[in-house]
Amino acid sequence: MRSSGMNSNKIQNFEITKPLLSKKSKSTAIFKDGGTASFSTSVFNLANNVAGAGLLTLAAGKATGACGWVPSILICSCLAMASARTFIMIGKACELTGEKTFKGLWAQAFGEKTAYIVDTIVFIQCSLSSTIYIGLLGDIFSALLKGTSLPPIITSRTNVILFVAATLLFPLNLIRNLSALAFTSILGLCAIMYTVLFMVYRALDGTYNITPASVGMFVADGMIAAPSFEGSSMWNVDLRSLVLVSNFGLAFIAHYNAPSYYREMKKDTPKAFPRMVMTAYAILAMIYVTTMSAGYYTFGDTSRGNILLNYHPKDMLALLGRLATGLSVVFGFPLVSNGAREGLKNASMALGFPAISNPKNHVPLVLCMLTLSSILAILVSDIKVIAGFSGAAMGSFLVYMCPPLVYTNILRKYYGADSVEYKRGRLSLMFLPFGCFIAIMGVAMTYNSMKAA
């Protein structure tokens, strides 16, 4: 299962491919299309690659943020549309420049000498996503093993992480040709859809009911924390709700791969790409609202950072959900960690440290990065915390701040500072104060919720 930020599709190897169109070509610039993917295929690919493990944290984000039902749904819907708008900006920038990578767009906007910044950001984002993946695996397989007769020392989360990292993740990370793992896209989609459906079913079938007259079968034996709804409300919203906003920042992120989607899509008109993006993000919003609502409706304020951990050990539907999610994460992990390695290699090369990119150092690099991510996953046992920090800091920059900065600078260079196009495009800079606010306050409120826990 992927997250957007936790996207399991391979992060592109960024390179400058084409110079910005000169002023001479302004009058002759026309819409060109070389993509082959249909509208429906593009919608499926985008929604499939953005949706991921981030949805497992949303119920806990709602609970921790004490966010009412109506504000929670509005937050999800508004952030989905805002994320779609900034995603479209990148597509428009690609249309103007002919660039095929996010790094190329950044270089066009701010110069090649600063392009290492993009690689560094991708490295940090994908590294945090890798840590969340490892934490998920520790949660899931530890929960599965605790249902057996194995001793606690084997089923502990820490030992499970160490074992999985050494026996599964390390060998998979050594694979250089990641095309062999392309099947994980379908596996991840199946895991997501199954998880959403079984969560909705359990929310409605009464097996986790706490009503005295009809206590649910999975609550009656006291093996799990009983659901609680003391903090539930219809309208409440305050600064604590920024925890939920931060989680959505991670759940909607895929913007550094926007040039790939733009390049691959068959566009009959200039409006085809924006329409595709808005459709995909609308679908994502519905999936996230459904998952968040089902999880909170079932467990309320006791919703955990990984909602799958709330379900009873003998709940067979939940067991299958954990298993499907675990397998999806195992095989999707190399794709995410590869993005982190490529970002580190490109950034180090630009900063004058070429040894990291030497093929001879592939094994030590894989071992070092996997070890660091595993240690962090062990130290921070609640993946909601990492998701909150990552979504607030990196998500805010990549989703709300970077696209409008790149887009407006390209408009200025292409049309001129006095042009109507540039002046109209500057309206998109309104996302900057919003992104800064979400980043600063999201980190602060996530930290406060971590201390309170």
Side-chain angles (χ1 to χ4, degrees):
M1 187 174 287
R2 300 155 311 284
S3 109
S4 39
M6 296 183 287
N7 298 351
S8 63
N9 53 310
K10 183 178 179 181
I11 308 300
Q12 301 296 318
N13 292 328
F14 299 117
E15 57 183 63
I16 306 301
T17 58
K18 191 177 293 186
L20 189 66
L21 295 175
S22 65
K23 291 184 178 181
K24 293 180 180 180
S25 61
K26 287 181 187 177
S27 60
T28 59
I30 59 173
F31 174 74
K32 295 182 179 181
D33 173 47
T36 58
S38 67
F39 179 88
S40 57
T41 299
S42 299
V43 169
F44 171 81
N45 288 337
L46 179 55
N48 182 32
N49 288 326
V50 175
L55 61 84
L56 299 177
T57 70
L58 298 180
K62 172 174 164 51
T64 305
C67 196
W69 284 101
V70 174
S72 297
I73 295 173
L74 288 177
I75 286 173
C76 178
S77 302
C78 292
L79 292 183
M81 294 304 101
S83 300
R85 294 299 304 174
T86 56
F87 197 99
I88 292 168
M89 290 179 197
I90 301 175
K92 290 181 177 179
C94 290
E95 181 181 332
L96 283 173
T97 64
E99 284 293 346
K100 298 179 181 180
T101 67
F102 193 76
K103 181 178 178 179
L105 290 176
W106 179 278
Q108 295 283 16
F110 301 106
E112 287 190 45
K113 292 183 178 180
T114 65
Y116 71 91
I117 295 176
V118 175
D119 293 316
T120 303
I121 293 171
V122 171
F123 162 65
I124 296 174
Q125 173 62 31
C126 291
S127 295
L128 292 174
S129 297
S130 297
T131 302
I132 294 174
Y133 270 49
I134 295 174
L136 275 172
L137 291 174
D139 292 341
I140 291 169
F141 288 120
S142 176
L144 289 172
L145 292 175
K146 286 178 180 178
T148 67
S149 58
L150 293 173
I153 190 172
I154 295 179
T155 63
S156 70
R157 182 178 184 273
T158 296
N159 289 334
V160 167
I161 287 177
L162 294 175
F163 179 80
V164 170
T167 61
L168 295 177
L169 300 185
F170 180 65
L172 286 172
N173 271 10
L174 294 178
I175 298 175
R176 296 176 186 267
N177 183 8
L178 298 180
S179 61
L181 299 176
F183 71 93
T184 60
S185 178
I186 298 299
L187 179 60
L189 174 64
C190 294
I192 289 172
M193 296 312 299
Y194 175 80
T195 299
V196 173
L197 292 174
F198 107 75
M199 287 179 64
V200 171
Y201 180 77
R202 284 297 187 228
L204 300 175
D205 73 351
T207 52
Y208 289 89
N209 198 342
I210 59 172
T211 304
S214 57
V215 177
M217 59 180 290
F218 292 127
V219 178
D221 61 6
M223 289 187 65
I224 63 170
S228 172
F229 299 92
E230 293 182 4
S232 179
S233 69
M234 186 62 68
W235 297 99
N236 184 67
V237 60
D238 52 40
L239 286 177
R240 292 175 297 172
S241 301
L242 289 171
V243 175
L244 178 60
V245 173
S246 298
N247 287 357
F248 277 122
L250 182 65
F252 286 125
I253 189 171
H255 292 56
Y256 40 69
N257 282 319
S260 297
Y261 293 106
Y262 181 84
R263 181 179 69 249
E264 294 167 3
M265 179 186 175
K266 181 180 180 181
K267 300 170 286 293
D268 297 325
T269 68
K271 293 183 179 180
F273 183 75
R275 187 161 55 91
M276 182 277 291
V277 174
M278 295 298 287
T279 302
Y281 271 86
I283 293 173
L284 287 167
M286 289 188 287
I287 292 174
Y288 290 157
V289 166
T290 301
T291 307
M292 175 185 68
S293 300
Y296 189 84
Y297 187 81
T298 306
F299 300 107
D301 302 329
T302 63
S303 298
R304 300 175 65 176
N306 178 356
I307 194 65
L308 294 177
L309 299 181
N310 279 96
Y311 292 92
H312 196 282
K314 295 182 180 179
D315 185 342
M316 291 303 298
L317 295 183
L319 186 147
L320 292 175
R322 295 186 186 112
L323 184 60
T325 301
L327 291 175
S328 173
V329 170
V330 165
F331 291 108
F333 180 83
L335 303 174
V336 177
S337 61
N338 181 72
R341 285 197 306 276
E342 291 303 315
L344 177 60
K345 289 179 182 178
N346 292 337
S348 62
M349 182 72 73
L351 294 173
F353 301 96
I356 295 178
S357 300
N358 192 323
K360 295 181 179 179
N361 294 326
H362 178 68
V363 174
L365 181 61
V366 167
L367 181 60
C368 181
M369 294 182 67
L370 180 60
T371 300
L372 292 176
S373 294
S374 299
I375 291 173
L376 183 57
I378 291 171
L379 294 176
V380 184
S381 59
D382 190 349
I383 63 169
K384 177 179 88 270
V385 174
I386 302 177
F389 282 123
S390 177
M394 303 309 300
S396 294
F397 180 78
L398 286 170
V399 175
Y400 307 121
M401 300 169 67
C402 190
L405 284 172
V406 169
Y407 177 58
T408 53
N409 270 277
I410 286 176
L411 284 176
R412 178 176 58 81
K413 290 185 175 183
Y414 182 71
Y415 290 108
D418 296 326
S419 65
V420 175
E421 290 83 0
Y422 173 66
K423 292 178 180 179
R424 187 186 301 123
R426 287 178 61 186
L427 293 175
S428 65
L429 294 176
M430 291 189 296
F431 281 105
L432 294 184
F434 174 72
C436 289
F437 177 77
I438 294 302
I440 296 172
M441 295 304 298
V443 167
M445 297 311 298
T446 300
Y447 177 71
N448 287 339
S449 68
M450 181 180 67
K451 287 202 306 181

